[in-house]
Structures are given as structure tokens and as C-alpha cells.
Amino acid sequence: MTFTVAVAGASGYAGGELLRLLADHPEFDITTVTAHSNAGAPLVALQPHLRSLRHLSLAETTPEQLSGHDIVFVALPHGKSGELTAHLPESTLVVDCGADHRLASPDDWDAFYGGEHFGAWSYGVPELIVGSHKQREALAGARRIAAPGCNASTVELSLAPGIAAGVIEPLDIVSVLAVGPSGAGKSLKPHLLAAEVLGTANPYAVGGTHRHIPEITQGLRWAGAADVSLSFTPVIVPMSRGILATSTARIAPGATAAQIREAWESAYADEPFVQLLPEGEVPRTADVLGANTALMGLAIDTAAGRVVVVTAVDNLAKGTAGAAIQSANIALGLPETTGLTVNGVAP
């Protein structure tokens, strides 16, 4: 069976990555692409790398344009997708790559985003430990899915196994991320110009202000933490795409090195897209470029009494578009890996 697909926000980075991956999906047929200010333009004028989709033109982003499709992927700024998706049929599978449906708490939404809270949808991180099971159980048959924030899912996947197993403490967690500027979207922003990014590293949203913090703490509570305290610092570095997240947490009293490693090994042993590297190895962002893969290295700093997890993802692939498609596959009962690859692009 072939499913018809529309992509809203197709002119941006997330929309472009959705289309790149969807173009090779054997069960999905892209029939409609939409934009706002770029409506009316050929898709390849905005996404010149998508040669197999050169027959498509960008329509206006309206509920009328998106209705009638089996699947709608939405890649719009926060506050915009909630207004739009409220008008789509309940029978349509809608996957939102924005923030509007990620947070269950209206207070968290108000504190970090503001404006109307549109309510939480099924969270699109299949591998995330939620109590005694994985989040993929909540995605089977879903018709409304919130794809994750790229930084948030990277940190959640890094630490959830240790919290679920009780081998790390959820208080005094520290995560520092090197991130590519494509995560900030395609809109012109002076601080993301090449002249401002090349040859330097630029911290931003320092001191507990980043909008992915409540999403991370929500995910870690789902994994079993009674409470979470997190110091989260992202740093823009001169690579177009990618996240390298270094997260550390205190070792729980009595936890042994063997128990700690076993927590991560058992959590991800059967996961195609989250892979724990052998002891002593850590990943590079280059290893996951273009792939729906999270590569993870685990170390134990005995002197500091902390576990160190280094995780690499492509923020546009596994961090956003890949997670959205993976979750859609599960919702529709397709093999989870359909249309997705674990292989990156090198050099």
C-alpha cells in the first residue's frame, strides 16, 4: 500500500531533510509541498539538491492544501503548527517536527515558549525508555505524533538507560553540546552568518534558558527520575549539521562499572538506530552525517564519580526528520527501518 504525503514548511532545513528521506521511502508518495513566503516557487528553487522532486511546486500552507493526504509532516516554527494542525482530519497521520505538541505541562510551555499551549501528542522517540517499556508502544496506531527537539532527544537517549536502571543520579546532570547552526533553521539571523560562525565556537541560551530543557527533564522523568536538575549548555560550532552531546551524571551509590555499562548495553542491544560503541570508543559527528543513527560512547570517570556519555547525531536526520519518519512507520505498522539508513556519508 502506498500512502500519500504532504510536507508543510518544505522550503526550510527540516522540511528539506524530510523530503530527502521521504523521496526514497518505498511506501510514501510525496504529492504536496507547501511554504509561506515561497509559495508558488518550484521546490528545487529552494531545495536544489532534491532532483527527484523537481516536478513539485510549493503551494500555500493551508489546511485545505494539506487535507486529503494520508500523512502530513509539519515543519513550521513554534506557535504555527498548532494553529494549522487543529484543522486537519482526525484520521490523518500528522507528524509535527516543531515544538507545539512536545510538552505535557502548560506551565513549562508558558515558561519557555509562551502563547497558546496546544497539548502534547505521542512523543516521537521510539527508543526512549518510559517506565517498563519503550516509547514505540505509544506510537503504534497513533494519528498525532510530536517529533522531538534534536538536542532534547540526544540528551534523553544518552541518559535514560542509567536513570531507568538506577545506576546514575538524576540530580546534578551536566550536558554540553556542540551543535551545527542548521538546528536554528533557515531564516536569516546575523549571528549565524558564516562570518560570525566560522573559526569560532559560540555558546548560546546559557544558564538554563534553552527551550529544550523542559523537554529533556520530561523525558528523563518518564524514564524513572523522581526529579531532575540539569545544567544544559549548547555551543554553535562551524559545521553545518550535527550534534555532539557530552552528558555527565553522578554514579548512584553502590553501582558498579559492570552494572553501569550493562544498563546501556541492555537498553540499546536490539535498537537499529541507537548504537553503543565498544568500551574505550567515542563517536564523531562525521560518523552519522545523513544517517538516522545515534552513536554513543560510554566512560566512567571514577575520580569524579561520574558517568560520561558522548552521543553524536545528525540534528536534521535522527534529530528531526529521521525520527519523524521512523515514528510514522511505527504508527502505520510498517517496518520501523523502512526508508531510513544507519549509514552516514564520508568524508
Side-chain angles (χ1 to χ4, degrees):
M1 179 179 179
T2 300
F3 299 89
T4 57
V5 174
V7 175
S11 60
Y13 287 139
E17 186 71 356
L18 276 165
L19 291 167
R20 182 182 75 85
L21 297 174
L22 289 167
D24 292 326
H25 196 295
E27 307 295 338
F28 292 169
D29 180 22
I30 305 165
T31 58
T32 301
V33 291
T34 78
H36 177 53
S37 60
N38 294 305
L43 176 65
V44 291
L46 283 302
Q47 307 286 10
H49 61 298
L50 299 177
R51 305 314 303 175
S52 68
L53 304 178
R54 61 188 181 276
H55 59 287
L56 295 174
S57 292
L58 293 161
E60 187 179 356
T61 301
T62 65
E64 293 75 22
Q65 288 284 357
L66 299 173
S67 295
H69 297 82
D70 297 315
I71 312 167
V72 176
F73 291 94
V74 182
L76 299 176
H78 78 270
K80 300 299 182 182
S81 60
E83 299 171 1
L84 178 73
T85 57
H87 299 286
L88 297 179
E90 292 183 6
S91 59
T92 301
L93 172 56
V94 183
V95 185
D96 184 11
C97 293
D100 286 13
H101 300 99
R102 294 173 187 160
L103 297 180
S105 167
D107 291 338
D108 283 345
W109 177 265
D110 185 61
F112 284 84
Y113 290 92
E116 183 177 354
H117 180 243
F118 293 97
W121 289 355
S122 298
Y123 191 53
V125 184
E127 304 92 349
L128 181 63
I129 298 171
V130 178
S132 61
H133 59 277
K134 295 284 186 73
Q135 178 62 12
R136 63 169 46 84
E137 292 188 17
L139 295 169
R143 284 298 173 266
R144 294 292 187 270
I145 295 172
C150 52
N151 298 313
S153 61
T154 305
V155 177
E156 289 165 0
L157 291 171
S158 296
L159 297 173
I163 287 174
V167 297
I168 61 173
E169 298 184 354
L171 302 178
D172 189 28
I173 293 171
V174 178
S175 291
V176 179
L177 286 71
V179 301
S182 60
K186 205 172 185 178
S187 299
L188 179 62
K189 301 178 180 71
H191 73 285
L192 298 178
L193 293 171
E196 303 293 332
V197 171
L198 296 178
T200 185
N202 302 322
Y204 70 102
V206 176
T209 61
H210 197 283
R211 287 170 168 166
H212 286 177
I213 290 173
E215 186 179 343
I216 296 168
T217 57
Q218 173 180 265
L220 296 182
R221 287 195 300 270
W222 289 343
D227 195 12
V228 179
S229 65
L230 168 70
S231 173
F232 177 88
T233 306
V235 182
I236 293 175
V237 297
M239 58 184 182
S240 61
R241 50 201 286 170
I243 296 172
L244 189 72
T246 302
S247 301
T248 77
R250 293 201 303 252
I251 298 170
T256 67
Q259 290 171 333
I260 291 168
R261 186 159 187 91
E262 170 60 23
W264 274 263
E265 287 179 343
S266 61
Y268 298 133
D270 298 323
E271 294 291 351
F273 296 123
V274 182
Q275 300 178 13
L276 180 65
L277 294 174
E279 192 168 352
E281 295 186 18
V282 291
R284 310 172 304 163
T285 55
D287 302 331
V288 296
L289 184 65
N292 193 52
T293 309
L295 282 185
M296 200 171 292
L298 174 70
I300 300 171
D301 186 340
T302 54
R306 301 182 75 89
V307 171
V308 182
V309 184
V310 181
T311 303
V313 303
D314 183 324
N315 60 293
L316 294 177
K318 180 56 174 167
T320 305
I325 295 169
Q326 183 183 349
S327 298
N329 285 339
I330 296 169
L332 296 167
L334 298 172
E336 191 169 329
T337 57
T338 306
L340 298 169
T341 182
V342 296
N343 297 324
V345 177

